[in-house]
Amino acid sequence: MLTAEQRKIVKSTAPVLEEHGTTITKVFYRNLFEAHPELLHIFNHANQAKGRQQTALANAVYAAAVHIDNLENILPAVVQIAHKHVSLGIKPEHYPIVGEHLLRAIKEVLGGAATAEILDAWKEAYGVIADAFIGVEAKMYQEAGEQENGWNFFKPFTVVRKVKESENIMSFYLKSADGLNVPVYQPGQYISVRVKIAGEKYMMIRQYSLSQAPTQDKFRISVKREADNDPNGVVSVYLHTQVNEGDTVEVSPPAGEFVLDTTNTTPVAFISGGVGITPMMSMFETVANLTPDRPTVFLYAARNEALAAFQRDIEEKAAGMSNVKYNTFYSSQPDGLINRAVLEEYVDITGDAYVCGPVSFMESIIRELRGMGMNDERIHYEFFGPAMPLANV
């Protein structure tokens, strides 16, 4: 239990963590994987290579220090990260290991400045934060396991269909290998796919948005093939080139809170760039199926026509809707950007906007929507990777 003095110490060290946080987390992950290489079966190697995981953890630790008196202030972030943890299969027994190596990293980086009092205070603080995550995740695991056709962690799924959606995006239709239907999921959620790739020492996990409206018997994910020399490309290249119809991959239950409010009938705009279209397709198809009269806008940005996915699907769904506007913009063409003028033409700021795509794309769109007067609570967004704040909005 944190004492008043320990809370004071934790808050007073927040500026130091802000300054040295990423250095601490880099040391932390290095030491963690040296001592527990088995955890490399869980962590995303690409995010480690690019430094995104280290930055995300540093941000989380700093936020916890700032809000140690009122951790409920960071509960939304806890829930968001907990969804990812559950999707990856993080267990309660992992938390003491992480805590031990985090404290060691703080000591290693700060040296004599990390006094016994500071380390004791952070040990207690970490225990409080870890308990919060464990509690939230326990409830998520229980709900996932108890729902109809639900399960925990990973189970085998068979690729029953493989469809090329654009020059670099491939869809995979997945059915449970045990013959059961899939659980109901919310439009916008994602699943984790775990694979063992020949020549790679560890299992690899990637999270992919479910890219169609919920169906009873299968999932669909749509995977962008990254460059062969990109750390993110290891799994996507494997899926594109080595996984065929009839093959099996392991899948976790649906997770995530970037989801469509299906009870709402007010205007809605789906704005995406690149592979960010995948959760939007699930949301857009759901509106087309459940509330086809809802005022709906679908705006999509791609580099060129060859890279524009789902064009026929969008047209087919829109044909059954009574109040829909949609357009695809190609950045390779003059006036091919979704800018302020485009948003003012299409988007009703009294409704809701869902935004997904590259970080710079989302920063631009969100900044313009706010500039138009759309309230923050009506702007919903997600980008792929560790939870990190958008900087330029």
Coordinates of all heavy atoms in Angstrom, one line a residue, residues 304-391:
N304 N -2.7 5.6 -55.0 CA -3.1 5.5 -56.4 C -4.2 4.5 -56.5 O -4.5 3.8 -55.5 CB -2.0 5.2 -57.3 CG -1.2 4.0 -56.9 OD1 -1.8 2.9 -56.7 ND2 0.1 4.1 -56.7
E305 N -4.8 4.3 -57.7 CA -5.9 3.4 -57.9 C -5.5 1.9 -57.6 O -6.3 1.2 -57.1 CB -6.4 3.5 -59.3 CG -7.7 2.8 -59.6 CD -8.3 3.2 -60.9 OE1 -7.8 4.0 -61.6 OE2 -9.3 2.5 -61.3
A306 N -4.3 1.5 -57.9 CA -3.8 0.2 -57.7 C -3.8 -0.2 -56.2 O -4.0 -1.4 -55.9 CB -2.5 -0.1 -58.3
L307 N -3.6 0.8 -55.4 CA -3.5 0.6 -53.9 C -4.8 0.8 -53.2 O -4.9 0.7 -52.0 CB -2.4 1.5 -53.3 CG -1.0 1.2 -53.8 CD1 0.0 2.2 -53.3 CD2 -0.5 -0.2 -53.5
A308 N -5.9 1.1 -53.9 CA -7.2 1.4 -53.3 C -7.9 0.1 -53.1 O -8.3 -0.5 -54.1 CB -7.9 2.4 -54.2
A309 N -8.1 -0.3 -51.9 CA -8.8 -1.6 -51.6 C -10.3 -1.4 -51.4 O -10.8 -0.3 -51.2 CB -8.2 -2.1 -50.3
F310 N -11.0 -2.5 -51.7 CA -12.5 -2.6 -51.4 C -13.4 -1.7 -52.2 O -14.5 -1.4 -51.8 CB -12.7 -2.4 -49.9 CG -12.0 -3.3 -49.0 CD1 -11.0 -2.8 -48.1 CD2 -12.3 -4.6 -48.9 CE1 -10.3 -3.6 -47.3 CE2 -11.6 -5.5 -48.0 CZ -10.6 -5.0 -47.2
Q311 N -12.9 -1.2 -53.3 CA -13.7 -0.3 -54.1 C -15.1 -0.9 -54.5 O -16.1 -0.2 -54.4 CB -13.0 0.2 -55.3 CG -11.7 1.0 -54.9 CD -12.0 2.2 -54.1 OE1 -12.5 3.2 -54.5 NE2 -11.7 2.2 -52.8
R312 N -15.1 -2.1 -55.0 CA -16.3 -2.7 -55.4 C -17.2 -3.0 -54.2 O -18.4 -2.8 -54.2 CB -16.0 -4.0 -56.1 CG -17.3 -4.7 -56.6 CD -17.0 -6.0 -57.4 NE -16.1 -5.7 -58.5 CZ -15.6 -6.7 -59.3 NH1 -15.9 -8.0 -59.0 NH2 -14.9 -6.4 -60.3
D313 N -16.6 -3.4 -53.1 CA -17.4 -3.6 -51.8 C -18.1 -2.4 -51.4 O -19.3 -2.4 -50.9 CB -16.5 -4.2 -50.7 CG -16.1 -5.6 -51.0 OD1 -16.5 -6.2 -52.0 OD2 -15.3 -6.1 -50.2
I314 N -17.4 -1.2 -51.4 CA -17.9 0.0 -51.0 C -19.1 0.4 -51.8 O -20.2 0.8 -51.3 CB -16.9 1.1 -51.0 CG1 -15.8 0.9 -50.0 CG2 -17.5 2.5 -50.7 CD1 -14.5 1.7 -50.2
E315 N -19.0 0.3 -53.1 CA -20.1 0.6 -54.1 C -21.3 -0.3 -53.8 O -22.4 0.2 -53.9 CB -19.6 0.5 -55.5 CG -18.5 1.5 -55.9 CD -18.0 1.3 -57.3 OE1 -18.6 0.4 -58.0 OE2 -17.1 2.0 -57.7
E316 N -21.0 -1.6 -53.6 CA -22.2 -2.5 -53.4 C -22.9 -2.2 -52.2 O -24.2 -2.2 -52.1 CB -21.6 -4.0 -53.4 CG -21.2 -4.5 -54.8 CD -20.6 -5.9 -54.7 OE1 -20.5 -6.4 -53.6 OE2 -20.3 -6.4 -55.8
K317 N -22.2 -1.9 -51.1 CA -22.9 -1.6 -49.8 C -23.6 -0.2 -49.9 O -24.7 -0.1 -49.5 CB -21.9 -1.5 -48.7 CG -21.3 -2.9 -48.3 CD -22.4 -3.9 -47.9 CE -21.8 -5.2 -47.5 NZ -22.8 -6.2 -47.2
A318 N -23.0 0.7 -50.6 CA -23.6 2.0 -50.7 C -24.9 2.0 -51.5 O -25.8 2.8 -51.3 CB -22.6 3.0 -51.4
A319 N -24.9 1.0 -52.5 CA -26.1 0.9 -53.3 C -27.4 0.6 -52.5 O -28.5 0.9 -53.0 CB -25.9 -0.2 -54.4
G320 N -27.2 0.0 -51.4 CA -28.4 -0.3 -50.5 C -28.7 0.7 -49.4 O -29.5 0.4 -48.6
M321 N -28.0 1.8 -49.5 CA -28.2 2.8 -48.4 C -28.8 4.0 -49.0 O -28.6 4.4 -50.2 CB -26.8 3.2 -47.8 CG -26.0 2.0 -47.3 SD -24.3 2.3 -46.8 CE -24.5 3.3 -45.3
S322 N -29.7 4.7 -48.3 CA -30.5 5.8 -48.8 C -29.9 7.1 -48.6 O -30.3 8.1 -49.3 CB -31.9 5.7 -48.1 OG -31.8 6.0 -46.8
N323 N -28.9 7.2 -47.8 CA -28.4 8.6 -47.4 C -26.8 8.5 -47.2 O -26.3 8.6 -46.1 CB -29.0 9.2 -46.2 CG -28.7 10.6 -46.0 OD1 -28.0 11.2 -46.8 ND2 -29.4 11.2 -45.0
V324 N -26.1 8.2 -48.3 CA -24.7 7.9 -48.2 C -23.9 8.7 -49.3 O -24.4 8.9 -50.4 CB -24.4 6.4 -48.4 CG1 -24.8 5.9 -49.8 CG2 -22.9 6.1 -48.2
K325 N -22.8 9.2 -48.9 CA -21.8 9.9 -49.8 C -20.5 9.2 -49.6 O -20.0 9.0 -48.5 CB -21.8 11.4 -49.5 CG -23.1 12.1 -49.8 CD -22.9 13.6 -49.6 CE -22.7 14.0 -48.1 NZ -22.6 15.5 -47.9
Y326 N -19.8 8.9 -50.7 CA -18.5 8.3 -50.6 C -17.6 8.7 -51.7 O -18.1 9.1 -52.8 CB -18.6 6.7 -50.6 CG -19.2 6.1 -51.8 CD1 -18.3 5.6 -52.8 CD2 -20.6 6.0 -52.0 CE1 -18.9 5.1 -54.0 CE2 -21.1 5.5 -53.2 CZ -20.2 5.0 -54.1 OH -20.8 4.4 -55.3
N327 N -16.3 8.7 -51.4 CA -15.3 9.1 -52.4 C -14.0 8.6 -52.0 O -13.7 8.4 -50.9 CB -15.3 10.6 -52.5 CG -14.8 11.1 -53.9 OD1 -14.2 10.3 -54.7 ND2 -15.1 12.3 -54.2
T328 N -13.1 8.3 -53.0 CA -11.8 7.9 -52.8 C -10.8 8.9 -53.4 O -11.1 9.4 -54.6 CB -11.5 6.5 -53.5 OG1 -12.4 5.5 -52.9 CG2 -10.1 6.1 -53.3
F329 N -9.8 9.3 -52.7 CA -8.9 10.3 -53.1 C -7.5 9.7 -53.3 O -7.0 8.9 -52.4 CB -8.8 11.4 -52.1 CG -10.2 12.1 -51.9 CD1 -11.1 11.5 -51.0 CD2 -10.4 13.3 -52.5 CE1 -12.4 12.1 -50.9 CE2 -11.7 13.9 -52.3 CZ -12.6 13.4 -51.5
Y330 N -6.8 10.1 -54.4 CA -5.5 9.5 -54.7 C -4.5 10.6 -54.6 O -4.5 11.6 -55.3 CB -5.5 9.0 -56.1 CG -6.5 7.9 -56.3 CD1 -7.6 8.0 -57.3 CD2 -6.5 6.7 -55.6 CE1 -8.5 7.0 -57.4 CE2 -7.4 5.7 -55.8 CZ -8.4 5.9 -56.7 OH -9.4 4.9 -56.8
S331 N -3.5 10.4 -53.7 CA -2.6 11.5 -53.4 C -1.6 11.7 -54.6 O -0.9 12.7 -54.7 CB -1.7 11.1 -52.2 OG -1.1 9.9 -52.3
S332 N -1.6 10.7 -55.5 CA -0.7 10.9 -56.7 C -1.3 11.9 -57.7 O -0.7 12.2 -58.7 CB -0.5 9.5 -57.4 OG -1.8 9.0 -57.8
Q333 N -2.6 12.3 -57.5 CA -3.3 13.2 -58.5 C -3.4 14.6 -57.9 O -3.3 14.7 -56.6 CB -4.7 12.6 -58.8 CG -4.7 11.3 -59.4 CD -6.1 10.8 -59.7 OE1 -7.1 11.4 -59.3 NE2 -6.2 9.6 -60.3
P334 N -3.5 15.6 -58.7 CA -3.7 16.9 -58.2 C -5.0 17.0 -57.4 O -6.0 16.3 -57.8 CB -3.8 17.8 -59.5 CG -3.1 17.0 -60.6 CD -3.4 15.5 -60.2
D335 N -5.0 17.7 -56.3 CA -6.2 17.8 -55.5 C -6.6 16.5 -55.0 O -7.8 16.2 -54.8 CB -7.3 18.5 -56.2 CG -7.0 19.9 -56.6 OD1 -6.3 20.6 -55.9 OD2 -7.3 20.3 -57.8
G336 N -5.6 15.6 -54.7 CA -6.0 14.3 -54.3 C -5.9 14.0 -52.8 O -5.8 12.9 -52.4
L337 N -5.9 15.1 -52.0 CA -5.9 14.9 -50.5 C -7.2 15.2 -49.9 O -8.0 16.0 -50.4 CB -4.8 15.9 -50.0 CG -3.4 15.8 -50.5 CD1 -2.5 16.9 -49.9 CD2 -2.8 14.4 -50.2
I338 N -7.4 14.5 -48.8 CA -8.6 14.8 -48.0 C -8.3 16.0 -47.1 O -7.7 15.9 -46.0 CB -9.1 13.6 -47.1 CG1 -9.3 12.4 -48.0 CG2 -10.3 14.0 -46.3 CD1 -9.7 11.2 -47.3
N339 N -8.6 17.2 -47.5 CA -8.2 18.4 -46.8 C -9.4 19.1 -46.2 O -10.5 18.5 -46.2 CB -7.5 19.4 -47.8 CG -8.3 19.7 -49.0 OD1 -9.5 19.6 -49.0 ND2 -7.7 20.0 -50.1
R340 N -9.2 20.3 -45.7 CA -10.3 21.0 -45.0 C -11.5 21.2 -45.9 O -12.7 21.0 -45.5 CB -9.8 22.3 -44.5 CG -10.8 23.2 -43.8 CD -11.2 22.7 -42.4 NE -11.9 23.7 -41.6 CZ -11.3 24.5 -40.7 NH1 -10.0 24.4 -40.5 NH2 -12.0 25.4 -40.1
A341 N -11.3 21.6 -47.1 CA -12.4 21.8 -48.0 C -13.2 20.6 -48.3 O -14.4 20.6 -48.3 CB -11.8 22.4 -49.4
V342 N -12.5 19.4 -48.4 CA -13.2 18.1 -48.6 C -14.1 17.8 -47.4 O -15.2 17.4 -47.5 CB -12.2 17.0 -48.9 CG1 -12.9 15.6 -48.8 CG2 -11.6 17.2 -50.3
L343 N -13.5 18.0 -46.2 CA -14.2 17.6 -45.0 C -15.4 18.5 -44.8 O -16.5 18.1 -44.4 CB -13.2 17.7 -43.8 CG -12.1 16.7 -43.8 CD1 -11.1 17.1 -42.6 CD2 -12.6 15.3 -43.6
E344 N -15.2 19.8 -45.1 CA -16.4 20.7 -45.0 C -17.5 20.4 -45.9 O -18.7 20.6 -45.6 CB -15.9 22.2 -45.2 CG -15.1 22.7 -44.0 CD -14.6 24.1 -44.3 OE1 -14.5 24.6 -45.5 OE2 -14.2 24.8 -43.3
E345 N -17.1 19.8 -47.1 CA -18.1 19.4 -48.1 C -18.9 18.2 -47.7 O -20.1 18.1 -47.9 CB -17.5 19.2 -49.4 CG -18.4 18.7 -50.5 CD -17.7 18.4 -51.8 OE1 -16.5 18.6 -51.9 OE2 -18.4 17.8 -52.7
Y346 N -18.2 17.3 -47.0 CA -18.8 16.0 -46.7 C -19.3 15.7 -45.3 O -20.3 15.1 -45.1 CB -17.8 14.8 -47.1 CG -17.7 14.5 -48.5 CD1 -16.7 15.2 -49.3 CD2 -18.5 13.6 -49.2 CE1 -16.5 14.9 -50.6 CE2 -18.3 13.3 -50.5 CZ -17.3 14.0 -51.2 OH -17.2 13.7 -52.6
V347 N -18.6 16.3 -44.3 CA -18.8 15.9 -42.9 C -19.7 16.8 -42.2 O -19.5 18.0 -42.2 CB -17.4 15.8 -42.2 CG1 -17.6 15.4 -40.7 CG2 -16.5 14.8 -42.9
D348 N -20.7 16.2 -41.5 CA -21.6 16.9 -40.6 C -21.0 16.9 -39.2 O -20.9 15.8 -38.6 CB -23.0 16.2 -40.6 CG -24.0 17.0 -39.8 OD1 -23.7 17.8 -38.9 OD2 -25.2 16.7 -40.0
I349 N -20.6 18.1 -38.7 CA -19.9 18.1 -37.5 C -20.8 17.9 -36.3 O -20.3 17.7 -35.1 CB -19.1 19.5 -37.3 CG1 -20.1 20.6 -37.2 CG2 -18.1 19.6 -38.4 CD1 -19.4 21.9 -36.8
T350 N -22.1 17.8 -36.5 CA -23.0 17.4 -35.4 C -23.0 15.9 -35.2 O -23.6 15.4 -34.2 CB -24.4 17.9 -35.6 OG1 -25.0 17.3 -36.7 CG2 -24.4 19.4 -35.9
G351 N -22.5 15.1 -36.1 CA -22.4 13.7 -36.0 C -21.1 13.2 -35.4 O -20.4 13.9 -34.7
D352 N -20.8 12.0 -35.8 CA -19.5 11.3 -35.3 C -18.6 11.1 -36.4 O -19.1 10.8 -37.6 CB -19.8 10.0 -34.5 CG -20.5 10.3 -33.2 OD1 -21.7 10.4 -33.1 OD2 -19.7 10.3 -32.2
A353 N -17.3 11.1 -36.2 CA -16.3 10.8 -37.2 C -15.4 9.7 -36.6 O -14.9 9.8 -35.5 CB -15.5 12.0 -37.6
Y354 N -15.1 8.7 -37.4 CA -14.2 7.7 -37.1 C -13.0 7.8 -38.1 O -13.2 7.8 -39.3 CB -14.8 6.3 -37.2 CG -15.9 6.0 -36.2 CD1 -17.2 6.5 -36.4 CD2 -15.6 5.3 -35.0 CE1 -18.2 6.3 -35.4 CE2 -16.6 5.1 -34.1 CZ -17.9 5.6 -34.3 OH -18.8 5.4 -33.3
V355 N -11.8 7.8 -37.5 CA -10.6 8.1 -38.3 C -9.5 7.1 -38.0 O -9.3 6.7 -36.9 CB -10.0 9.5 -37.9 CG1 -8.8 9.9 -38.8 CG2 -11.0 10.6 -38.0
C356 N -8.9 6.5 -39.1 CA -7.9 5.5 -39.0 C -6.9 5.6 -40.2 O -7.4 5.7 -41.3 CB -8.5 4.1 -38.9 SG -7.3 2.9 -38.4
G357 N -5.7 5.5 -39.9 CA -4.7 5.5 -41.0 C -3.3 5.8 -40.4 O -3.1 5.8 -39.2
P358 N -2.4 6.2 -41.3 CA -1.0 6.6 -40.8 C -1.1 7.8 -39.9 O -2.1 8.6 -39.9 CB -0.3 7.0 -42.1 CG -1.1 6.3 -43.2 CD -2.5 6.2 -42.8
V359 N -0.2 7.9 -39.0 CA -0.2 8.9 -37.9 C -0.4 10.3 -38.5 O -1.2 11.1 -38.0 CB 1.0 8.8 -37.0 CG1 1.0 9.9 -36.0 CG2 1.0 7.4 -36.2
S360 N 0.5 10.6 -39.4 CA 0.4 12.0 -40.0 C -0.9 12.3 -40.6 O -1.5 13.4 -40.6 CB 1.5 12.2 -41.0 OG 1.4 11.2 -42.1
F361 N -1.5 11.3 -41.3 CA -2.9 11.4 -41.9 C -3.9 11.7 -40.8 O -4.7 12.6 -40.9 CB -3.2 10.1 -42.6 CG -4.7 10.0 -43.1 CD1 -5.1 10.6 -44.3 CD2 -5.6 9.4 -42.3 CE1 -6.4 10.5 -44.7 CE2 -6.9 9.3 -42.7 CZ -7.3 9.9 -43.9
M362 N -3.9 10.9 -39.7 CA -4.9 11.1 -38.6 C -4.7 12.5 -37.9 O -5.7 13.1 -37.6 CB -4.8 10.0 -37.6 CG -5.2 8.7 -38.2 SD -5.6 7.5 -36.9 CE -4.0 7.4 -36.1
E363 N -3.4 12.9 -37.7 CA -3.2 14.2 -37.1 C -3.8 15.3 -37.9 O -4.4 16.2 -37.4 CB -1.7 14.4 -36.9 CG -1.1 13.5 -35.8 CD 0.4 13.6 -35.7 OE1 1.1 14.1 -36.7 OE2 1.0 13.2 -34.7
S364 N -3.6 15.2 -39.2 CA -4.2 16.2 -40.1 C -5.7 16.2 -40.1 O -6.3 17.3 -40.0 CB -3.7 16.0 -41.6 OG -4.3 16.8 -42.5
I365 N -6.3 15.1 -40.2 CA -7.8 15.0 -40.2 C -8.4 15.4 -38.9 O -9.3 16.2 -38.9 CB -8.2 13.5 -40.5 CG1 -7.7 13.1 -41.9 CG2 -9.8 13.4 -40.4 CD1 -8.3 13.9 -43.1
I366 N -7.8 15.0 -37.8 CA -8.4 15.4 -36.5 C -8.2 16.9 -36.3 O -9.1 17.5 -35.8 CB -7.7 14.5 -35.4 CG1 -8.1 13.1 -35.5 CG2 -8.1 15.1 -34.0 CD1 -7.3 12.1 -34.7
R367 N -7.1 17.4 -36.7 CA -6.9 18.8 -36.5 C -7.9 19.6 -37.3 O -8.5 20.6 -36.8 CB -5.4 19.2 -37.0 CG -5.1 20.6 -36.8 CD -3.6 20.9 -37.0 NE -3.2 20.5 -38.4 CZ -2.4 19.4 -38.6 NH1 -1.9 18.7 -37.6 NH2 -2.1 19.1 -39.9
E368 N -8.2 19.2 -38.5 CA -9.1 19.9 -39.4 C -10.6 19.8 -38.8 O -11.3 20.7 -38.8 CB -9.1 19.4 -40.8 CG -7.7 19.7 -41.5 CD -7.4 21.1 -41.6 OE1 -8.2 22.0 -41.3 OE2 -6.3 21.4 -42.0
L369 N -10.9 18.6 -38.3 CA -12.2 18.4 -37.8 C -12.5 19.3 -36.6 O -13.5 19.9 -36.4 CB -12.5 16.9 -37.4 CG -12.6 15.9 -38.6 CD1 -12.6 14.5 -38.0 CD2 -13.8 16.2 -39.4
R370 N -11.4 19.4 -35.7 CA -11.5 20.3 -34.6 C -11.7 21.7 -35.0 O -12.4 22.5 -34.4 CB -10.3 20.1 -33.7 CG -10.3 18.8 -32.9 CD -9.0 18.6 -32.1 NE -9.0 17.4 -31.3 CZ -8.0 16.9 -30.7 NH1 -6.8 17.5 -30.8 NH2 -8.1 15.8 -29.9
G371 N -10.9 22.1 -36.0 CA -11.0 23.4 -36.6 C -12.3 23.8 -37.1 O -12.7 24.9 -37.1
M372 N -13.0 22.8 -37.6 CA -14.4 23.0 -38.1 C -15.4 23.1 -37.0 O -16.6 23.4 -37.3 CB -14.8 21.8 -39.0 CG -14.0 21.8 -40.3 SD -14.1 20.2 -41.2 CE -15.9 19.9 -41.3
G373 N -15.0 22.8 -35.8 CA -15.9 22.9 -34.6 C -16.5 21.6 -34.1 O -17.4 21.5 -33.3
M374 N -16.0 20.4 -34.6 CA -16.4 19.1 -34.1 C -15.9 18.9 -32.7 O -14.7 19.1 -32.5 CB -16.0 18.0 -35.1 CG -16.5 16.6 -34.6 SD -16.2 15.3 -35.9 CE -17.7 15.4 -36.8
N375 N -16.8 18.5 -31.8 CA -16.4 18.2 -30.4 C -15.5 17.0 -30.4 O -15.7 16.0 -31.1 CB -17.6 18.0 -29.5 CG -18.4 19.3 -29.4 OD1 -17.8 20.4 -29.5 ND2 -19.7 19.2 -29.2
D376 N -14.5 17.0 -29.4 CA -13.6 15.9 -29.3 C -14.3 14.6 -29.0 O -13.9 13.5 -29.5 CB -12.6 16.1 -28.1 CG -11.5 17.0 -28.6 OD1 -11.4 17.3 -29.8 OD2 -10.6 17.4 -27.7
E377 N -15.4 14.6 -28.3 CA -16.1 13.3 -27.9 C -16.8 12.7 -29.1 O -17.2 11.5 -29.1 CB -17.1 13.5 -26.8 CG -18.3 14.5 -27.2 CD -18.0 15.9 -26.7 OE1 -16.8 16.3 -26.5 OE2 -18.9 16.7 -26.6
R378 N -16.8 13.4 -30.2 CA -17.4 12.9 -31.5 C -16.4 12.4 -32.4 O -16.7 11.9 -33.5 CB -18.3 14.0 -32.1 CG -19.5 14.3 -31.3 CD -20.5 15.2 -32.1 NE -21.7 15.5 -31.4 CZ -22.8 14.7 -31.3 NH1 -22.7 13.5 -31.9 NH2 -23.8 15.0 -30.6
I379 N -15.1 12.6 -32.1 CA -14.0 12.2 -33.0 C -13.4 11.0 -32.4 O -12.8 11.0 -31.3 CB -12.9 13.3 -33.1 CG1 -13.6 14.6 -33.6 CG2 -11.8 12.9 -34.0 CD1 -12.6 15.8 -33.7
H380 N -13.4 9.8 -33.1 CA -12.9 8.6 -32.6 C -11.8 8.1 -33.5 O -11.9 8.2 -34.7 CB -14.0 7.5 -32.6 CG -15.4 8.0 -32.1 ND1 -15.7 8.1 -30.8 CD2 -16.4 8.6 -32.7 CE1 -16.9 8.6 -30.6 NE2 -17.4 8.9 -31.8
Y381 N -10.7 7.7 -33.0 CA -9.6 7.3 -33.8 C -8.8 6.2 -33.2 O -8.8 5.9 -32.0 CB -8.7 8.5 -34.1 CG -8.0 9.1 -32.9 CD1 -6.8 8.7 -32.4 CD2 -8.6 10.2 -32.2 CE1 -6.2 9.2 -31.3 CE2 -8.0 10.7 -31.1 CZ -6.8 10.2 -30.7 OH -6.2 10.8 -29.6
E382 N -8.0 5.5 -34.1 CA -7.1 4.5 -33.7 C -6.0 4.3 -34.8 O -6.3 4.4 -36.0 CB -7.8 3.1 -33.5 CG -6.9 2.0 -33.3 CD -7.4 0.9 -32.4 OE1 -7.5 1.2 -31.1 OE2 -7.8 -0.1 -32.8
F383 N -4.8 4.1 -34.3 CA -3.7 3.7 -35.3 C -3.1 2.5 -34.8 O -3.3 2.0 -33.6 CB -2.7 4.8 -35.4 CG -1.9 5.1 -34.2 CD1 -0.7 4.5 -34.0 CD2 -2.3 6.0 -33.2 CE1 0.1 4.8 -32.9 CE2 -1.6 6.2 -32.1 CZ -0.4 5.6 -31.9
F384 N -2.5 1.8 -35.7 CA -1.9 0.4 -35.4 C -0.6 0.5 -34.7 O 0.3 1.3 -35.0 CB -1.8 -0.3 -36.7 CG -3.1 -0.4 -37.5 CD1 -3.1 0.1 -38.8 CD2 -4.2 -0.9 -37.0 CE1 -4.3 0.1 -39.5 CE2 -5.4 -1.0 -37.7 CZ -5.4 -0.5 -39.0
G385 N -0.4 -0.3 -33.7 CA 0.8 -0.3 -32.9 C 0.6 0.0 -31.4 O -0.6 0.1 -31.0
P386 N 1.6 0.1 -30.7 CA 1.5 0.4 -29.2 C 0.8 1.7 -29.0 O 0.8 2.7 -29.8 CB 3.0 0.5 -28.7 CG 3.8 -0.2 -29.8 CD 3.0 0.0 -31.1
A387 N 0.0 1.8 -27.9 CA -0.8 3.0 -27.6 C 0.2 4.2 -27.3 O 0.9 4.2 -26.4 CB -1.6 2.8 -26.4
M388 N 0.1 5.2 -28.2 CA 0.9 6.4 -28.0 C 0.0 7.6 -28.4 O -0.8 7.5 -29.3 CB 2.2 6.4 -28.9 CG 3.2 5.4 -28.4 SD 4.8 5.5 -29.3 CE 4.3 5.2 -31.0
P389 N 0.2 8.7 -27.8 CA -0.7 9.9 -28.1 C -0.3 10.5 -29.4 O 0.9 10.4 -29.8 CB -0.4 10.9 -26.9 CG 1.0 10.5 -26.5 CD 1.1 9.0 -26.7
L390 N -1.2 11.1 -30.1 CA -0.9 11.8 -31.3 C -0.4 13.2 -30.9 O -0.8 13.8 -30.0 CB -2.2 12.0 -32.2 CG -2.9 10.7 -32.7 CD1 -4.1 11.1 -33.5 CD2 -1.9 9.9 -33.5
A391 N 0.7 13.6 -31.6 CA 1.4 14.8 -31.1 C 0.9 16.1 -31.7 O 0.9 17.1 -31.0 CB 2.9 14.6 -31.5

